[in-house]
């Protein structure tokens, strides 16, 4: 990974910039590969800073990165996935022209259960009202 190279910073910057052209799952995979390869070197810290500044345009990715790598929280990965799914749900409704109230937005973004979010996403593709996401929902919470 060139962690000991005098040109490590430039090499890592080029890799980080290249990663923004990939899908989020591919970017995350390659981030992991480089992260492991850099081991506990100063270059790894530089890599983390680069990724924090470069890879922030994916739904949920910024939170995932910060929690998993900067704060070291193991639950960051599932929280990042939940945040990404929530943003996908809201985006699907918006693109389809379905109005989203603040209450619906809050309920969707507060949910951390991936199965519930997956069901809501599926419903977001056909729902005529945002509130229809929660019809027959069994996630164990009450509507706001």
């Amino acid at each position: 990974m060139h962690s000991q190279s005098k040109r490590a910073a430039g090499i890592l910057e080029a890799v980080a910039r290249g990663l923004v052209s990939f899908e989020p799952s591919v970017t995350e995979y390659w981030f992991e590969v480089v992260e492991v390869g850099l081991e506990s070197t100063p270059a790894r810290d530089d890599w983390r800073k680069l990724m924090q500044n470069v890879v922030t345009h994916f739904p949920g990715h910024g939170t995932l990165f910060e929690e998993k790598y900067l704060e070291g929280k193991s639950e960051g990965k599932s929280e990042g996935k939940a945040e990404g799914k929530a943003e996908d749900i809201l985006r699907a409704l918006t693109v389809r022209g379905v109005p989203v109230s603040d209450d619906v937005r809050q309920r969707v973004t507060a949910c951390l259960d991936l199965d519930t979010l997956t069901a809501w996403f599926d419903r977001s593709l056909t729902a005529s009202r945002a509130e229809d996401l929660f019809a027959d929902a069994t996630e164990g919470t009450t509507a706001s």
Side-chain angles (χ1 to χ4, degrees), residues 53 95 97 144:
N53 293 327
V95 167
S144 298

Side-chain angles (χ1 to χ4, degrees), residues 26-127:
V26 174
T27 299
E28 184 178 345
Y29 171 80
W30 283 107
F31 170 81
E32 296 269 355
V33 169
V34 174
E35 173 86 6
V36 170
L38 292 172
E39 299 174 332
S40 295
T41 63
R44 184 182 68 186
D45 296 332
D46 294 340
W47 174 245
R48 289 177 175 180
K49 288 176 189 170
L50 277 171
M51 293 303 290
Q52 183 181 17
N53 293 327
V54 174
V55 184
T56 59
H57 68 284
F58 301 121
H61 202 288
T63 298
L64 166 65
F65 177 82
E66 291 167 7
E67 288 182 342
K68 187 172 181 184
Y69 298 104
L70 297 182
E71 297 173 16
K73 296 181 180 177
S74 62
E75 67 274 6
K77 186 170 184 171
S78 60
E79 287 177 12
K81 285 183 180 181
E83 183 178 321
K85 280 187 180 272
E87 289 184 19
D88 290 345
I89 291 164
L90 298 172
R91 177 78 178 142
L93 292 169
T94 301
V95 167
R96 294 185 53 245
V98 176
V100 179
S101 69
D102 289 339
D103 288 341
V104 168
R105 184 176 307 280
Q106 172 60 33
R107 184 167 176 190
V108 170
T109 58
C111 182
L112 296 177
D113 182 76
L114 294 175
D115 292 334
T116 298
L117 288 165
T118 297
W120 289 351
F121 176 77
D122 292 346
R123 291 180 191 144
S124 75
L125 300 175
T126 58

